[in-house]
Amino acid sequence: MNAADILRLLADDDRDRLDTLEVFAELGSTNSWLLKEAAPAAGRFRVVLAENQTEGRGRLGRRWIAPPLSGLCMSVSYTFAETPRQLPSLTLAVGAGVAIALRTIGVDDIALKWPNDLVARDGKLGGILTEVRPEIGHGRTMVIGLGLNVDLPEAMRQAPAERWASRIVDLKECVDSLPSRPALAAGILQCVMAAVTRFERDGFAAFHAAWQDCDWLRGKTVRIPQAEEDVQG
């Protein structure tokens, strides 16, 4: 996979809003890379992908493990001209955008587990990590990382999943035929860019129905650990 292959598959409007799109054979973390790079100008995107990510990060400092060429490791940096009022809900908005992209290639049962997990067949398919760059000012630059299991080695399929998931799944298990890696990257990138742009314009209200439609926890009994007493309902 190379940057030119992905760029050819993007719509003209999306290409025009990109400052850079880079593909590396190996990086420690795509999110960490963009956090260290210069922020894009307001309304612009920077994108980085890695074929092998050696220090992938998930939420709460957890590791994201992706053997070489087994998954999609991509991060997108975007600068909002003004900080959105509901910025923490950006992760769910992006999740809805990724769900749309995955449905178009045949993942019919794609769901989102609050706040940042992608679920298919009751297993963990991927995750989203959204981080804020620490600049001070009116605007706000976000780095949105996506890790997606595409074609895992058998040992990974049998690895213990997180407590909430029955197992780890990959895209190959969920679709009749895998798209090419550039096509997968381009399709997901376009949906992420569209979600971020719409979120900036309309806020989370524009995604509420889509979120409700694919909320994996909706209707389930859940337990929330608290310092003094767990809450269940």
Side-chain angles (χ1 to χ4, degrees):
M1 184 168 63
N2 60 62
D5 290 338
I6 299 170
L7 287 168
R8 276 194 294 269
L9 296 170
L10 295 177
D12 291 343
D13 288 349
D14 290 328
R15 277 198 302 270
D16 290 344
R17 299 185 69 191
L18 283 173
D19 278 352
T20 58
L21 188 154
E22 300 174 280
V23 179
F24 292 90
E26 183 174 288
L27 278 180
S29 160
T30 55
N31 261 36
S32 296
W33 174 267
L34 284 181
L35 286 169
K36 294 175 183 176
E37 292 290 291
R44 307 282 298 174
F45 292 88
R46 297 193 70 170
V47 181
V48 64
L49 299 96
E51 296 280 35
N52 182 29
Q53 187 173 233
T54 59
E55 299 173 15
R57 296 183 288 110
R59 184 169 168 267
L60 303 177
R62 299 186 181 103
R63 287 190 66 200
W64 178 263
I65 300 173
L69 301 177
S70 70
L72 183 69
C73 300
M74 176 171 66
S75 292
V76 178
S77 180
Y78 181 78
T79 300
F80 293 97
E82 298 287 340
T83 303
R85 289 187 299 113
Q86 299 172 312
L87 190 58
S89 59
L90 176 62
T91 302
L92 293 178
V94 170
V98 174
I100 290 170
L102 292 176
R103 281 175 176 167
T104 64
I105 62 172
V107 189
D108 297 328
D109 65 341
I110 185 67
L112 303 175
K113 175 190 170 293
W114 184 92
N116 70 322
D117 290 303
L118 297 164
V119 182
R121 303 189 179 188
D122 282 336
K124 181 159 182 172
L125 178 64
I128 297 164
L129 177 65
T130 305
E131 299 182 285
V132 185
R133 286 179 60 107
E135 291 95 350
I136 299 174
H138 291 293
R140 183 69 72 198
T141 301
M142 304 297 298
V143 175
I144 304 157
L146 171 70
L148 182 69
N149 300 325
V150 177
D151 188 2
L152 296 174
E154 188 59 30
M156 279 285 292
R157 292 171 182 267
Q158 305 303 323
E162 295 186 37
R163 287 182 297 173
W164 59 266
S166 61
R167 59 201 181 95
I168 298 172
V169 299
D170 60 14
L171 196 59
K172 186 177 182 179
E173 181 181 344
C174 300
V175 297
D176 293 333
S177 62
L178 282 174
S180 70
R181 292 176 64 80
L184 177 64
I188 289 180
L189 175 57
Q190 288 190 129
C191 285
V192 170
M193 293 175 71
V196 171
T197 302
R198 190 178 183 193
F199 182 87
E200 181 173 35
R201 184 182 67 240
D202 302 325
F204 185 69
F207 299 90
H208 186 265
W211 155 240
Q212 290 287 288
D213 180 56
C214 56
D215 178 8
W216 186 70
L217 290 175
R218 192 175 190 186
K220 288 183 168 65
T221 298
V222 297
R223 180 174 59 84
I224 305 171
Q226 302 286 293
E228 297 180 356
E229 182 181 6
D230 291 356
V231 178
Q232 184 168 309

